[in-house]
C-alpha cells in the first residue's frame, strides 16, 4: 500500500538529490549524470569568485530577513488583536477576509502590483492626492523600491493565513486561566502578558525556527514576475539566478552548484536554529 | 461571567474594532478595485477616476476575453490539471498516510524520517528539471502532474488525523475479515471527510494557481494552463494581441479593462469554492500545527 508513495519520494525527491552531484561535475547531457567528468569544487569556486556572489547573498538574505522581521510579528499581532475582539460575527468575517489573498494566484497578485504601482495606478494617485509626492514614482523600475514592494505585498498575501496557526494556539488556552486571573483582578494587559503570551510561546518558537531555517530560501516566483534587468541590483536572488543560468542558459553544472550551496546553507541554519531553541527553551522541531 | 469594563478597556476595544475594520478594508479593496475596473471604461481607469464604482459601465472586456481561443484552451487545460492532479495527490497522500498512521507497521519511523527530510532539504531546481527531462516527461501533461504529487506536509497532516481514529475500530473490522484496502475505503476515509476536504482545497488551489513548472516544462502552447496565458496578458502586457483588427484607439479603450477582466475570470472559480471549504481548513491547519 505504501509503495506508490515511497516510489514517488524516491523518484521525484531523492533522485534529484543524487542528481545534485552534477554540481561537482562538468555535466554533459549526452554522457548523463554518472559518466560526466568530475571537476571537484570548480563550479563552486567560480560562483564564490564571481561578482554576483555577494550581491546575490545580500539580496537573498535581506529579502527574507525583512520578510521575517515585518511579516512574522505582524501576523502575531494581528492574531492577538483578533483574539481580543468580542464581536464574534466581526471576528469570523475578518478571518475570512484576511485569508482570501492567500488563495489568489501569484500571477494575478503580480498583475495587480504592476498595475497599482505604475505612474497612473492607484498608489501613485493616492500619494499625489494627499500631496505626499509631487510626481508619480515608477516603483517597479527603481531598484530602491523593490524590497519594499516585495515585503509589502508579501504581508498582504500572508498576514491572515499566517495568523491561523496563532489563533489555533490561542483557542487552545484553557479559559479557566482567564477566569482565575479576572478574579485576582488582572486587567487585559496583565492577562496578555501572563497567560496569552506564555500560552502560545511554543508555537511562536517553532515557527521562528522554521523561518530561520529558510532564511536563504526566498521564492523565485514573485521575483521572476516582477523584476527586470534594471532592478537586478536589489532584486536578483540565488534562486532567480539559478533559474536564469540553469533553465534559460542551460548552464546546468554551475547553477546546480549555486542551488546546492543554497540548500546546504539553509539546512545548516535550520539545524542550528533548532539546536539553539532546544537548548534555551523547550521547543524544537525534532 | 459579567465583568464591568473599565474606561481603558472600552477605549482599547473601540480602537481595536476600528483598526481591524481598516485592515479588512485593506484586504478587500484591491480585489474590489479590480472587479470595478473590469466593468469600466479604460480611459476612466487610466485617468485614475475609478475608485469605488465602475465608470462607463460596459462588458466589452469580458466579451473579448471570452472570444479569445487561447483563453478557452487554457481554461480547459487548467481544469484537467486541477482534477487529475488533485486525484493523484489525494490517492498518493492517502496511500502514504494511512499505513504510516498504524502503529503495527514496522520501520514506520524510518520511512517517516525519510519523508520529513525532503521538507528541509532538496536537490534544487536544476537536478529536478533534469530529472523531468530524463524521465521523458518534458513537454507532456505529466510534467505538471507527477512532480510534487505528494506534499510531505499534507501527508503529515493526514497521518495525524488518521492516528486519531481509534485502533479498536480497525481491529474489529480486521476480526470481521476486512483487508486493509477495505478498511481504508469503508471505515477510515468516511471518517476523514474534514481532512479530505482540506487536502482537496490545498491541492486544487495549488494546481489552479501553479505556473512555474508549466513555464519551465512546457513548450506546446496547447498544453498551457490558464496562469501562463494570464502571465502573458498581465505581466508581459500582450493584451493587445487579442485585439487584432481593431483601431488604435479601440485598443487603448479596452486593453486596460481586459487585464482586470482576465483577473476576474481566473480568480472567481477559486473564490467560489472557498466559502464551502473554509470551515474545514482552519481545522486542517490546526491538525498540522500539532506536534506528534
Amino acid at each position: 500500500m505504501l509503495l506508490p508513495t515511497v516510489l514517488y519520494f524516491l523518484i521525484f525527491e531523492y533522485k534529484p538529490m543524487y542528481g545534485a552531484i552534477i554540481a561537482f561535475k562538468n555535466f554533459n547531457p549526452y554522457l548523463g549524470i554518472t559518466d560526466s567528468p568530475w571537476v571537484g569544487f570548480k563550479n563552486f569556486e567560480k560562483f564564490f569568485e564571481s561578482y554576483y556572489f555577494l550581491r546575490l547573498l545580500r539580496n537573498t538574505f535581506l529579502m527574507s530577513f525583512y520578510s521575517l522581521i515585518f511579516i512574522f510579528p505582524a501576523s502575531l499581532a494581528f492574531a492577538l488583536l483578533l483574539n481580543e475582539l468580542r464581536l464574534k460575527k466581526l471576528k469570523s468575517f475578518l478571518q475570512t477576509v484576511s485569508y482570501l489573498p492567500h488563495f489568489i494566484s501569484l500571477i494575478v497578485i503580480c498583475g495587480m502590483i504592476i498595475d497599482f504601482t505604475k505612474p497612473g495606478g492607484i498608489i501613485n494617485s493616492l500619494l499625489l492626492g494627499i500631496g505626499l509626492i509631487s510626481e508619480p514614482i515608477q516603483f517597479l523600475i527603481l531598484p530602491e523600491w523593490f524590497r519594499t514592494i516585495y515585503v509589502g505585498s508579501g504581508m498582504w498575501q500572508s498576514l491572515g493565513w499566517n495568523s491561523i496557526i496563532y489563533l489555533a494556539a490561542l483557542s487552545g488556552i484553557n479559559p479557566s486561566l482567564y477566569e482565575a486571573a479576572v478574579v485576582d483582578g488582572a486587567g487585559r494587559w496583565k492577562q496578555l502578558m501572563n497567560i496569552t503570551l506564555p500560552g502560545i510561546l511554543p508555537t511562536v518558537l517553532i515557527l521562528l525556527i522554521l523561518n530561520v531555517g529558510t532564511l536563504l530560501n526566498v521564492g523565485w516566483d514573485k521575483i521572476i514576475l516582477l523584476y527586470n534587468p534594471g532592478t537586478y541590483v536589489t532584486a536578483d536572488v540565488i534562486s532567480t539566478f539559478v533559474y536564469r543560468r540553469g533553465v534559460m542558459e542551460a548552464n546546468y553544472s554551475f547553477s546546480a552548484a549555486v542551488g546546492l550551496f543554497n540548500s546546504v546553507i539553509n539546512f545548516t541554519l535550520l539545524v542550528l536554529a533548532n539546536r539553539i531553541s532546544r537548548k534555551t527553551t523547550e521547543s524544537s522541531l525534532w | 461571567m459579567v465583568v464591568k469594563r473599565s474606561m481603558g478597556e472600552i477605549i482599547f476595544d473601540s480602537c481595536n474594532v476600528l483598526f481591524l475594520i481598516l485592515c479588512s478594508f485593506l484586504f478587500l479593496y484591491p480585489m474590489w478595485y479590480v472587479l470595478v475596473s473590469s466593468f469600466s471604461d479604460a480611459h476612466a481607469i487610466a485617468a485614475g477616476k475609478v475608485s469605488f464604482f465602475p465608470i462607463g459601465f460596459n462588458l466589452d472586456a469580458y466579451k473579448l476575453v471570452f472570444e479569445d481561443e487561447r483563453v478557452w484552451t487554457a481554461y480547459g487545460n487548467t481544469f484537467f490539471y486541477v482534477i487529475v492532479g488533485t486525484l493523484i495527490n489525494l490517492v498518493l497522500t492517502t496511500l502514504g498516510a494511512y499505513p504510516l498512521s498504524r502503529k503495527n507497521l514496522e520501520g514506520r519511523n524510518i520511512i517517516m524520517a525519510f519523508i520529513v527530510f525532503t521538507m528541509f532539504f532538496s536537490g534544487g531546481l536544476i537536478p529536478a528539471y533534469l530529472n523531468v527531462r530524463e524521465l521523458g516527461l518534458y513537454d507532456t501533461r505529466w510534467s505538471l502532474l507527477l512532480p510534487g504529487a505528494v506534499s510531505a506536509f499534507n501527508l503529515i497532516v493526514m497521518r495525524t488525523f488518521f492516528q486519531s481514529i481509534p485502533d479498536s475500530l480497525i481491529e474489529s473490522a480486521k476480526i470481521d475479515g476486512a483487508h486493509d484496502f477495505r478498511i481504508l475505503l469503508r471505515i477510515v476515509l468516511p471518517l476523514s471527510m474534514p481532512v479530505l476536504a482540506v487536502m482537496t482545497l490545498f491541492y486544487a488551489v495549488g494546481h489552479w494557481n501553479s505556473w512555474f513548472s508549466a513555464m519551465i516544462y512546457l513548450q506546446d502552447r496547447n498544453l498551457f494552463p490558464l496562469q501562463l496565458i494570464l502571465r502573458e496578458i498581465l505581466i508581459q502586457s500582450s493584451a493587445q494581441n487579442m485585439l487584432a483588427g481593431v483601431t488604435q484607439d479601440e485598443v487603448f479603450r479596452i486593453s486596460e479593462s481586459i487585464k482586470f477582466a482576465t483577473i476576474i475570470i481566473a480568480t472567481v472559480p477559486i473564490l467560489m469554492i472557498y466559502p464551502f471549504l473554509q470551515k474545514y481548513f482552519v481545522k486542517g491547519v490546526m491538525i498540522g500545527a500539532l506536534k506528534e
Side-chain angles (χ1 to χ4, degrees), chain A residues 37-179:
Chain A
W38 291 96
V39 293
F41 284 91
K42 211 187 87 198
N43 289 316
F44 290 89
E45 282 161 19
K46 203 167 114 199
F47 176 54
F48 296 148
E49 284 160 8
S50 81
Y51 143 83
Y52 298 106
F53 178 64
L54 281 178
R55 187 176 91 180
L56 290 172
L57 206 60
R58 189 183 62 225
N59 286 347
T60 312
F61 174 76
L62 280 182
M63 215 96 80
S64 36
F65 181 69
Y66 287 144
S67 301
L68 182 68
I69 60 170
F70 287 107
I71 301 177
F72 190 80
S75 314
L76 179 60
F78 183 71
L80 290 174
L81 289 178
L82 265 185
N83 195 47
E84 293 292 326
L85 204 61
R86 278 136 186 241
L87 309 159
K88 290 284 167 273
K89 279 231 169 89
L90 183 64
K91 186 174 165 185
S92 66
F93 170 74
L94 271 161
Q95 274 182 274
T96 311
V97 165
S98 68
Y99 308 151
L100 269 182
H102 181 80
F103 290 91
I104 296 180
S105 89
L106 211 70
I107 305 263
V108 166
I109 295 211
C110 292
M112 281 159 68
I113 295 174
I114 291 172
D115 203 86
F116 291 176
T117 57
K118 71 185 183 190
I122 50 172
I123 294 182
N124 269 310
S125 309
L126 185 72
L127 292 176
L128 283 170
I130 56 173
L132 221 56
I133 50 172
S134 52
E135 54 188 81
I137 300 174
Q138 301 252 27
F139 288 103
L140 280 172
I141 293 180
L142 300 169
E144 62 265 36
W145 281 101
F146 196 87
R147 291 183 190 127
T148 314
I149 294 171
Y150 179 86
V151 176
S153 57
M155 176 137 20
W156 185 75
Q157 279 175 275
S158 58
L159 184 73
W161 188 251
N162 291 351
S163 69
I164 292 184
I165 211 160
Y166 298 123
L167 287 167
L170 287 168
S171 68
I173 299 174
N174 188 345
S176 63
L177 289 175
Y178 290 106
E179 283 162 25

Side-chain angles (χ1 to χ4, degrees), chain A residues 1-6 8-17 19-22 27 32-33 78 80-82 84-87 90 92-108 110-112 114-116 118 120-122 125 155-157 159-161 164-165 168-169 171 178-179 182-183 187-188 203 206 210 220-222 224-226 239 242-243 245-247 251-253 255-256 259-260 263-264 266-267 270 284-286, chain B residues 1 3 5 9 12-13 16-17 19-21 23-31 33-34 45-48 50 91-100 105 111 113-118 120-135 137 146-152 155 180-181 184 201-202 205 208-212 215-216 227-228 230-231 234-235 256 259-260 262-263 266-267 270-271 274 278 281-282 285-286 288-289 291:
Chain A
M1 205 189 254
L2 203 52
L3 193 68
T5 311
V6 169
Y8 162 78
F9 278 100
L10 283 176
I11 297 173
F12 289 100
E13 301 285 346
Y14 281 90
K15 199 165 152 250
M17 282 187 209
I21 61 165
I22 64 165
F27 178 67
I33 293 170
F78 183 71
L80 290 174
L81 289 178
L82 265 185
E84 293 292 326
L85 204 61
R86 278 136 186 241
L87 309 159
L90 183 64
S92 66
F93 170 74
L94 271 161
Q95 274 182 274
T96 311
V97 165
S98 68
Y99 308 151
L100 269 182
H102 181 80
F103 290 91
I104 296 180
S105 89
L106 211 70
I107 305 263
V108 166
C110 292
M112 281 159 68
I114 291 172
D115 203 86
F116 291 176
K118 71 185 183 190
I122 50 172
S125 309
M155 176 137 20
W156 185 75
Q157 279 175 275
L159 184 73
W161 188 251
I164 292 184
I165 211 160
S171 68
Y178 290 106
E179 283 162 25
V182 172
V183 172
R188 297 273 278 278
T203 312
I206 293 278
L210 276 173
W220 50 63
D221 353 34
K222 209 159 87 183
I224 283 184
L225 293 173
L226 291 177
S239 44
V242 170
Y243 162 72
R245 285 303 167 89
V247 179
N251 225 327
Y252 298 128
S253 283
S255 39
L260 189 62
S263 297
V264 170
N266 264 329
F267 190 66
L270 182 74
S284 65
L285 276 175
W286 60 79
Chain B
M1 186 169 55
V3 181
R5 292 193 293 169
E9 282 190 43
F12 168 78
D13 283 333
N16 192 14
V17 169
F19 176 76
L20 289 174
I21 288 175
C23 283
S24 67
F25 175 76
L26 287 177
F27 285 122
L28 282 177
Y29 182 70
M31 289 179 268
Y33 176 81
V34 169
I45 302 171
V50 178
V91 169
L92 284 182
T93 310
T94 311
L95 288 182
Y98 176 64
L100 288 170
L105 182 81
I111 301 174
F114 156 92
I115 289 171
V116 170
F117 183 67
T118 63
F120 304 118
F121 190 81
S122 77
L125 173 67
I126 300 304
Y129 173 78
L130 293 174
N131 187 30
V132 166
R133 298 199 77 138
E134 223 172 88
L135 294 167
L137 305 179
L146 293 180
V150 187
S151 134
L155 194 149
D180 286 330
F181 273 102
L184 177 61
L201 176 74
F202 284 175
V205 170
W208 183 274
N209 288 340
S210 112
W211 59 281
F212 189 78
M215 181 178 81
I216 61 176
Q227 300 293 338
L228 269 196
L230 270 185
R231 171 168 165 266
L234 295 176
I235 316 284
E256 272 300 296
K259 290 190 181 180
F260 295 112
T262 42
I263 291 184
T267 312
I270 282 293
L271 296 189
Y274 167 82
Q278 211 234 114
F281 69 63
V282 175
V285 174
M286 280 170 72
K291 281 221 314 168

